């Protein structure tokens, strides 16, 4: 028997021991391959897949590899730990550490090769189904299956490389086991060390994070930025220290702790938490991200309708009164719209800036006729104003309510025109951010007498606004692309916006938002799949590895008079935290983050996402419960064997 | 108090084996009985049958006039946790519990009040010399201490029968002696019935009576006398008659 044969037999003759590691690797490869299939999809260059950019996909792929590597590394480490006794015997028989390293390397590569090949095969078999889901998710017309080499080669190369690196690293960092100790000990070290300080920090950081999330308003944005940091560190301390403090508190109350099989459950949690604290931390954080992604997607469905309401205009072009490009740009836009056979309605505004005496703030003044022309194309009710009357133009939905019933008597200082603002238009007619928050409509008569411009303080006294109302605005996303590029460049190059014009195409904005969401969603869904499958299989096979010892314990306990019901209860309590603690904490985190997001989004874009959030959470919970039931059932069956 | 009546146990499998064949004997209350026999003679099977882990193919086991076989699985579990105490060869202490928690485990299963647990624990710990290690974990104590912990666990609920399966199998001679003396002391002071399955003639010599089985059948029984040394000699004599694998037994002869 050569050395290679020995390693090979090791793997194939106790495949059961290797199953945990194999499954974790297999699922990583599987998901990675599916994603590669999507990334190299020939339609993606045609912008077919919801405008997701190739660069974004590559970044997502890198993130996915990082997570997969972490998982594989973690599984390998656990796997080597389980086998430490076997290694001790080999070393006892005279094997060198170098040879042991070689053995681990050959074995890992064998498993890696097997899982890569089977992961790719299964991945290819499932890719049709996967494309179907993605198609539904992103609302694409079609996403056909294709066959080309790059996804296969990439997946294989990346994972074989990863396996080589991971096995070398873990061999390098494996300390030579202390033979005597390993061969003799019956039980591993069960002591847990934790710091009370860390435990308190965990609670404190989480409390601060949650508190900040609750107090978030648009004004406290600077503080809200810190929420993720507080929550991340809080979670870390929670799993490394706080959990043990809580368990210790439970233990110190004997009336509670010395009751029925509770002692067994709690003591077991202690050991388990120590083994998997780091993994729980990562699972919590990633689950939270996944929640955020999926909920965002759920929010999308209601977003389209709201987006239309909040952004009633297809294209907006705003230019200074002396904008030299105005003529050229408007002509170009119109000819592009005509070439694209879009029906549209253009309204040209000349907006005058004046100073209001009541607040001494700057106000933007619109003419009644111009506004009515635009309202007519919207199909909304028209405005009728008499001389001396004026109407607010609301900037957000909230401001409609706020301005309702408000009566302001004021004078436009520059031209000494007295007006009474006593109405508010009951809908949003301009997209957010295009016009000032202090915008009013006045009658044509008053507008005629606006002769003197804003007292000069460097401000431009007039501007021109071209509003294009396009019923098919979603399809008009490529209109004015060249002007859009000028605007984007200006944003990137200069900190201060210095162009004499501004352009916004809501179709392209929307498709950009949609693509971002879609990208995050795909990544989120894949991350969820990786974690659901890998974490679940990992938990299960970890039990599988310890099963013999656990079964001996249960046999002894049954002799001592443990009923079957009690055994089941112990198993439930043993498994439940592994499934629900990281997810539950992620859920709580997400709820607080959503409270913050909800307040922020409400101010920025009036998005109500509570219902979608609840639905998404419920779906997650149901999946997790089914998964838990499945594994509990298998586990009990093994224990009763 | 314990009657084994014509018990036969047949294991069906690829090879059918008759582990016990019409074995009958009785154990009186307050007795310290050893069951000896070569490997494969059915000792462990017998213990499993008495502890109701396994069901005999035919025959009856009567415990205090009752037949535990007729109980359902839940009643059986309650019977075990109240009436039986176990001492295992490999101790079977739960590694995640401290010594103290391991000892009181049977009482917690039975929902006893904490005060009672503390009282009994204190009394037993003092008696078995475990006061200093109560807060330690099983991996931090010696084999002798672990077995004393297991004995404390077997005693804490004052069972009517203690079943010991090779209690000295994993211990050195000093620890073995300590454990055996402890068991016989408990047997005498508390009138606890103990049934011990063993290979070791020294261990058997601490008992009142030794029952020998061979190939699942009753072979012989001898009663102890005043001097342990002569009893030990007589046990060895029977063992040499038994044949089997004499190599299993230690060849030490006490003066």
């Amino acid at each position: 028997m050569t050395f290679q044969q020995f390693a090979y037999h090791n793997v194939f003759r106790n495949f059961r021991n290797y199953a945990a590691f194999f499954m974790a690797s297999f699922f990583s490869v599987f998901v990675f391959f599916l994603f590669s299939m999507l990334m190299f999809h020939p339609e993606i260059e045609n912008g077919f897949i919801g405008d997701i950019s190739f660069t974004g996909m590559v970044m997502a792929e890198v993130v996915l590899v990082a997570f997969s590597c972490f998982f594989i590394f973690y599984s390998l480490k656990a796997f080597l730990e389980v086998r430490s006794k076997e290694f001790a015997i080999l070393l006892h028989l005279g094997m060198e550490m170098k040879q042991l390293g070689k053995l681990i390397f050959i074995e890992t590569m064998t498993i890696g090769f097997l899982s890569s090949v089977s992961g790719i095969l299964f991945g290819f078999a499932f890719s049709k189904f996967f494309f179907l889901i993605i198609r539904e998710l992103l609302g694409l017309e079609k996403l056909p299956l294709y066959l080309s080499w790059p996804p296969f080669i990439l997946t294989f190369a990346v994972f074989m490389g990863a396996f080589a690196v991971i096995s070398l690293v873990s061999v390098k960092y494996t300390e030579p086991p202390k033979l005597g100790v390993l061969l003799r000990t019956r039980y591993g070290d069960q002591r847990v060390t934790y710091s009370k300080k860390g435990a308190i920090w965990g609670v404190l950081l989480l409390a601060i994070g949650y508190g900040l999330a609750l107090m978030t308003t648009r004004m406290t944005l600077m503080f809200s930025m810190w929420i993720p940091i507080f929550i991340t560190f809080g979670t870390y301390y929670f799993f490394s220290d706080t959990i043990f403090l809580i368990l210790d508190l439970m233990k110190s109350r004997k009336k509670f702790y010395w009751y029925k099989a509770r002692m067994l459950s709690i003591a077991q949690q202690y050991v388990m938490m120590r083994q998997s604290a780091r993994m729980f931390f990562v699972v919590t954080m990633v689950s939270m991200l996944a929640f955020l992604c999926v909920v965002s997607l759920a929010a999308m469905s209601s977003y389209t309708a709201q987006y239309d309401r909040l952004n009633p205009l297809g294209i907006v072009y705003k230019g200074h009164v002396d904008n030299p490009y105005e003529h050229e740009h408007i002509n170009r836009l119109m000819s592009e719209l005509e070439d694209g056979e879009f029906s549209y309605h253009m309204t040209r505004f000349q907006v005058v800036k004046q100073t209001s005496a009541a607040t001494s703030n700057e106000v933007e003044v619109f003419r009644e006729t111009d506004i009515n022309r635009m309202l007519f194309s919207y199909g909304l009710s028209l405005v009728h104003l008499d001389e001396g009357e004026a109407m607010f133009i609301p900037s957000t939905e909230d401001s409609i309510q706020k301005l309702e019933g408000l009566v302001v008597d004021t004078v436009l200082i520059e031209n000494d025109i007295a007006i009474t603002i006593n109405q508010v238009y009951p809908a949003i007619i301009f997209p957010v951010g295009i016009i000032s928050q202090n915008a009013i409509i006045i009658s044509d008569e008053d507008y005629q007498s606006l002769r003197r411009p804003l007292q000069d303080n460097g401000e431009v006294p007039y501007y021109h606004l071209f509003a294009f109302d396009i019923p098919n605005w979603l399809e008009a996303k490529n209109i004015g692309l060249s002007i859009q590029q000028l605007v984007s460049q200006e944003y990137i190059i200069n900190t201060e916006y210095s162009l004499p014009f501004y352009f916004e195409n809501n179709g392209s904005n929307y498709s950009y938002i949609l693509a971002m969401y879609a990208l995050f969603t795909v990544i989120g869904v894949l991350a969820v799949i990786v974690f659901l499958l890998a974490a679940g299989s990992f938990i299960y096979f970890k039990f599988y590895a310890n099963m013999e010892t656990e079964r001996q314990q249960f046999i002894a306990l049954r002799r001592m008079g443990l009923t079957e019901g009690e055994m089941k209860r112990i198993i439930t309590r043993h498994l439940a935290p592994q499934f629900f603690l990281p997810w539950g904490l992620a859920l709580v985190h997400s709820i607080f983050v959503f409270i913050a997001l909800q307040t922020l989004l409400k101010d920025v874009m009036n998005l109500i996402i509570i219902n979608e959030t609840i639905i998404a959470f419920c779906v997650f919970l149901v999946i997790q419960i089914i998964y838990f039931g499945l594994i509990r059932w298998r586990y009990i069956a093994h224990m009763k064997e | 108090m314990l009657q084994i009546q014509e018990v036969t146990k047949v294991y069906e499998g690829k090879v059918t084996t008759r582990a016990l064949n019409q074995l009958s004997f009785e154990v009186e209350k307050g007795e310290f009985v050893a069951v000896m026999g070569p490997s494969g003679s059915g000792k462990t099977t017998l213990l499993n049958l008495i502890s109701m882990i396994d069901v005999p193919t035919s025959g009856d086991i009567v415990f205090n006039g009752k037949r535990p076989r007729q109980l359902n699985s839940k009643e059986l579990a309650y019977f075990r946790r109240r009436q039986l105490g176990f001492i295992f060869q490999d101790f079977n202490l739960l590694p995640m519990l401290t010594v103290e928690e391991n000892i009181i485990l049977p009482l917690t299963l039975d929902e006893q009040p904490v005060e009672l647990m503390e009282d009994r624990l204190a009394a037993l710990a003092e008696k078995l010399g475990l006061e200093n290690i109560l807060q330690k974990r099983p991996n931090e104590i010696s084999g002798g201490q672990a077995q004393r912990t297991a004995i404390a666990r077997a005693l804490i609920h004052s069972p009517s029968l203690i079943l010991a399966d090779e209690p000295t199998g994993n211990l050195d001679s000093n620890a073995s002696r300590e454990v055996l003396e402890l068991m016989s002391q408990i047997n005498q002071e508390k009138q606890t019935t103990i049934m011990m399955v063993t290979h070791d003639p020294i261990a058997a010599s601490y008992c009142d009576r030794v029952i020998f089985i061979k190939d699942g059948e009753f072979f012989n029984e001898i009663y102890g006398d005043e001097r342990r040394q002569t009893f030990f000699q007589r046990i060895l004599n029977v063992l040499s008659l038994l044949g089997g694998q004499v190599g299993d037994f230690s060849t030490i002869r006490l003066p």
Side-chain angles (χ1 to χ4, degrees):
Chain A
M1 190 168 73
T2 63
F3 196 74
Q4 279 81 1
Q5 273 178 322
F6 173 61
Y8 174 83
H9 286 154
N10 253 347
V11 175
F12 283 92
R13 292 190 183 155
N14 343 302
F15 199 73
R16 190 171 144 170
N17 288 339
Y18 292 78
F21 182 49
F22 173 76
M23 292 309 270
S25 319
F26 168 79
F27 282 128
S28 311
V29 177
F30 178 75
V31 172
F32 183 90
F33 179 76
L34 283 181
F35 195 77
S36 311
M37 282 294 279
L38 187 68
M39 194 170 83
F40 286 110
H41 201 288
E43 300 283 353
I44 197 163
E45 276 154 32
N46 312 342
F48 215 117
I49 305 178
D51 289 349
I52 300 175
S53 67
F54 191 74
T55 335
M57 299 272 278
V58 170
M59 270 162 62
E61 186 101 311
V62 170
V63 172
L64 210 60
V65 168
F67 280 131
S68 305
C69 282
F70 172 79
F71 251 105
I72 294 172
F73 180 69
Y74 198 85
S75 326
L76 183 66
K77 235 180 87 192
F79 177 57
L80 294 181
E81 247 170 51
V82 170
R83 294 175 63 202
S84 53
K85 202 159 184 171
E86 189 189 322
F87 294 149
I89 293 171
L90 290 175
L91 291 172
H92 197 76
L93 292 176
M95 189 182 258
E96 286 174 57
M97 269 312 278
K98 212 175 127 192
Q99 283 176 308
L100 185 69
K102 199 174 151 195
L103 178 76
I104 294 172
F105 183 74
I106 295 175
E107 288 183 7
T108 313
M109 289 313 278
T110 313
I111 290 281
F113 180 77
L114 283 179
S115 53
S116 301
V117 170
S118 50
I120 289 174
L121 287 179
F122 268 83
F124 190 65
F126 270 90
S127 49
K128 175 99 186 141
F129 181 63
F130 176 67
F131 282 166
L132 202 77
I133 296 176
I134 293 292
R135 205 191 67 195
E136 285 299 309
L137 221 55
L138 302 189
L140 303 176
E141 279 164 37
K142 59 174 185 155
L143 194 63
L145 191 64
Y146 71 101
L147 186 63
S148 75
W149 283 111
F152 290 90
I153 293 169
L154 179 76
T155 312
F156 193 75
V158 163
F159 275 90
M160 288 315 276
F163 277 113
V165 170
I166 290 170
S167 58
L168 285 176
V169 167
S170 43
V171 165
K172 185 146 193 204
Y173 288 98
T174 311
E175 281 175 31
K178 294 187 188 77
L179 282 186
V181 179
L182 263 175
L183 288 173
R184 231 178 334 109
T185 45
R186 235 169 271 104
Y187 333 101
D189 186 21
Q190 307 283 342
R191 282 251 174 238
V192 176
T193 45
Y194 70 93
S195 76
K196 276 205 171 130
K197 227 175 170 180
I200 292 164
W201 267 115
V203 178
L204 214 65
L205 288 175
L206 284 183
I208 295 175
Y210 289 169
L212 278 181
L214 285 180
M215 288 186 298
T216 297
T217 59
R218 219 169 160 189
M219 297 298 118
T220 60
L221 203 61
M222 276 310 291
F223 295 109
S224 307
M225 304 290 269
W226 290 89
I227 294 176
I229 293 166
F230 280 120
I231 286 190
T232 308
F233 279 94
T235 313
Y236 181 78
Y237 281 120
F238 180 81
F239 280 118
S240 68
D241 298 300
T242 312
I243 282 272
F244 297 110
L245 186 70
I246 294 172
L247 287 174
D248 263 353
L249 286 178
M250 282 185 183
K251 276 187 167 183
S252 64
R253 294 184 48 213
K254 281 185 180 168
K255 276 241 163 62
F256 173 82
Y257 182 50
W258 286 8
Y259 179 75
K260 283 188 147 179
R262 210 170 269 168
M263 198 164 75
L264 290 171
S265 314
I266 293 174
Q268 226 165 13
Q269 292 311 324
Y270 221 84
V271 178
M272 200 194 61
M273 285 298 161
R274 196 191 60 135
Q275 289 173 344
S276 349
R278 213 164 304 158
M279 186 173 84
F280 282 175
F281 166 67
V282 174
V283 171
T284 307
M285 296 319 285
V286 174
S287 309
M288 189 174 113
L289 286 179
F291 282 147
L292 288 168
C293 288
V294 173
V295 171
S296 309
L297 177 82
M300 274 308 292
S301 55
S302 68
Y303 188 62
T304 315
Q306 291 196 27
Y307 194 87
D308 192 21
R309 196 153 50 84
L310 297 179
N311 298 282
L313 286 169
I315 293 175
V316 179
Y317 185 91
K318 182 173 162 181
H320 294 183
V321 75
D322 51 356
N323 172 17
Y325 308 104
E326 183 179 302
H327 192 66
E328 178 201 339
H329 281 168
I330 297 300
N331 276 345
R332 193 192 299 171
L333 286 177
M334 277 158 64
S335 65
E336 275 181 33
L337 281 168
E338 276 150 27
D339 289 347
E341 295 176 352
F342 289 102
S343 71
Y344 69 95
H345 186 279
M346 189 194 80
T347 317
R348 180 180 179 278
F349 295 94
Q350 166 141 333
V351 182
V352 183
K353 290 186 183 172
Q354 294 283 297
T355 310
S356 156
T359 55
S360 63
N361 276 339
E362 200 182 292
V363 289
E364 294 186 351
V365 183
F366 287 77
R367 194 161 72 129
E368 184 189 339
T369 317
D370 292 343
I371 289 284
N372 277 340
R373 215 174 277 156
M374 187 170 78
L375 290 177
F376 181 74
S377 80
Y378 284 171
L380 293 175
S381 58
L382 300 183
V383 178
H384 179 76
L385 296 170
D386 290 328
E387 205 174 330
E389 257 186 338
M391 185 188 251
F392 286 114
I393 304 176
S395 55
T396 61
E397 301 223 301
D398 277 353
S399 60
I400 297 180
Q401 282 165 13
K402 234 181 275 169
L403 297 173
E404 189 91 71
L406 189 72
V407 179
V408 180
D409 289 312
T410 186
V411 177
L412 299 176
I413 294 176
E414 285 81 0
N415 291 294
D416 200 24
I417 299 170
I419 48 170
T420 308
I421 317 170
N422 55 3
Q423 300 166 60
V424 58
Y425 196 79
I428 294 175
I429 51 179
F430 287 105
V432 179
I434 289 293
I435 56 164
S436 139
Q437 291 189 11
N438 300 317
I440 55 172
I441 314 168
I442 57 172
S443 64
D444 286 7
E445 293 84 355
D446 284 335
Y447 192 85
Q448 294 293 315
S449 37
L450 287 178
R451 288 198 189 86
R452 276 184 291 276
L454 188 70
Q455 285 162 356
D456 191 20
N457 51 356
E459 285 274 347
V460 185
Y462 299 101
Y463 67 84
H464 288 159
L465 191 66
F466 295 87
F468 291 81
D469 180 32
I470 309 168
N472 280 335
W473 60 277
L474 277 176
E475 272 121 63
K477 64 185 176 196
N478 288 326
I479 304 293
L481 212 57
S482 53
I483 310 172
Q484 177 85 63
Q485 271 161 3
L486 290 175
V487 172
S488 323
Q489 257 171 26
E490 180 66 20
Y491 270 123
I492 295 166
I493 298 166
N494 287 347
T495 44
E496 217 161 298
Y497 193 81
S498 61
L499 284 183
F501 59 90
Y502 177 75
F503 176 79
E504 214 176 272
N505 183 334
N506 271 320
S508 92
N509 279 359
Y510 181 75
S511 71
Y512 182 68
I513 293 173
L514 195 74
M516 288 301 284
Y517 270 122
L519 181 64
F520 278 118
T521 308
V522 171
I523 299 168
V525 167
L526 287 177
V528 172
I529 293 174
V530 172
F531 275 81
L532 258 177
L533 295 180
S537 71
F538 188 71
I539 288 170
Y540 181 58
F541 287 109
K542 202 165 175 190
F543 285 136
Y544 217 74
N546 294 335
M547 204 167 67
E548 219 22 65
T549 348
E550 299 257 318
R551 224 173 63 193
Q552 290 307 325
Q553 275 181 18
F554 274 117
I555 289 174
L557 282 170
R558 285 234 305 268
R559 275 198 196 206
M560 279 185 254
L562 193 75
T563 63
E564 208 177 299
E566 281 164 341
M567 184 179 99
K568 281 185 184 164
R569 203 174 313 140
I570 291 177
I571 291 176
T572 308
R573 284 187 191 161
H574 185 30
L575 295 183
Q578 314 221 16
F579 277 91
F580 297 109
L581 189 68
W583 285 71
L585 197 65
L587 207 94
V588 176
H589 285 358
S590 318
I591 287 172
F592 279 97
V593 172
F594 275 118
I595 291 173
L597 271 187
Q598 178 82 40
T599 5
L600 285 181
L601 289 183
K602 203 174 156 217
D603 284 356
V604 182
M605 48 189 186
N606 288 4
L607 201 60
I608 310 291
I609 52 178
I610 283 180
N611 284 341
E612 287 82 5
T613 312
I614 291 173
I615 292 168
F617 281 164
C618 285
V619 170
F620 269 114
L621 199 66
V622 168
I623 294 176
Q624 196 67 0
I625 287 173
I626 292 173
Y627 210 30
F628 168 71
L630 210 69
I631 285 184
R632 178 177 171 272
W633 168 61
R634 290 308 308 144
Y635 191 66
I636 289 177
H638 280 309
M639 286 299 122
K640 270 166 48 177
E641 249 168 31
Chain B
M1 79 167 271
L2 177 70
Q3 284 135 16
I4 313 288
Q5 297 170 345
E6 303 268 316
V7 166
T8 302
K9 176 71 191 176
V10 178
Y11 286 112
E12 308 269 357
K14 284 182 185 145
V15 184
T16 306
T17 43
R18 190 177 285 261
L20 288 177
N21 190 15
Q22 300 199 314
L23 183 70
S24 302
F25 65 89
E26 279 185 29
V27 179
E28 298 296 323
K29 188 167 171 27
E31 223 181 352
F32 187 2
V33 184
V35 175
M36 288 193 81
S39 312
S41 58
K43 302 184 299 279
T44 308
T45 308
L46 177 67
L47 217 55
N48 283 348
L49 292 178
I50 296 173
S51 55
M52 308 292 150
I53 290 291
D54 222 337
V55 203
T57 315
S58 73
D60 253 330
I61 294 169
V62 183
F63 194 96
N64 275 339
K66 281 186 226 133
R67 288 183 168 72
R69 252 179 97 179
Q70 292 159 353
L71 301 174
N72 66 27
S73 73
K74 194 167 182 189
E75 287 168 333
L76 204 61
Y78 280 96
F79 162 77
R80 279 196 216 113
R81 70 170 64 153
R82 284 170 192 157
Q83 307 287 342
L84 300 181
F86 291 93
I87 303 169
F88 303 94
Q89 177 175 8
D90 45 6
F91 324 132
N92 270 332
L93 298 178
L94 298 176
M96 64 274 189
L97 300 179
T98 60
V99 165
E100 168 185 62
E101 289 158 3
N102 263 298
I103 295 174
I104 56 151
L105 185 63
L107 290 181
T108 61
L109 287 181
D110 215 23
E111 298 173 51
Q112 298 291 337
V114 172
E115 294 74 32
L116 178 105
M117 291 191 223
E118 277 174 338
D119 287 350
R120 290 213 186 158
L121 178 72
L124 270 178
E126 197 208 328
K127 193 177 170 74
L128 301 187
L130 296 170
E131 296 105 319
N132 299 325
I133 56 163
L134 282 178
Q135 299 307 327
K136 292 199 171 167
R137 309 264 167 166
N139 63 334
E140 297 163 334
I141 58 177
S142 72
Q145 287 170 325
Q147 197 57 297
R148 289 209 306 266
T149 307
I151 293 174
R153 182 178 65 183
L155 288 172
I156 191 122
H157 52 304
S158 318
S160 30
L161 175 65
I162 291 178
L163 296 170
D165 186 0
E166 301 271 10
T168 57
N170 268 337
L171 300 180
D172 62 41
S173 59
N174 272 328
S176 294
R177 201 187 61 240
E178 242 173 55
V179 163
L180 288 164
E181 276 169 2
L182 198 63
M183 283 170 71
S184 83
Q185 184 195 350
I186 288 159
N187 166 253
Q188 276 155 21
E189 284 174 9
K190 293 191 164 179
Q191 291 299 305
T192 316
T193 319
I194 304 178
M195 189 176 140
M196 172 169 77
V197 160
T198 183
H199 253 120
D200 178 7
I202 299 177
S205 68
Y206 281 85
C207 300
D208 302 332
R209 176 164 63 120
V210 183
I211 297 168
F212 296 90
I213 53 175
K214 186 188 182 185
D215 301 332
E217 290 177 36
F218 183 82
F219 181 78
N220 194 0
E221 64 177 335
I222 54 174
Y223 285 85
D225 45 28
E226 297 302 302
R227 292 191 59 218
R228 206 164 59 76
Q229 284 85 349
T230 56
F231 187 35
F232 174 70
Q233 195 62 56
R234 281 163 54 214
I235 294 171
L236 284 185
N237 290 341
V238 181
L239 284 177
S240 66
L241 270 178
L242 244 175
Q245 290 130 337
V246 181
D248 283 354
F249 311 123
S250 66
T251 51
I252 319 159
R253 296 198 170 207
L254 298 173

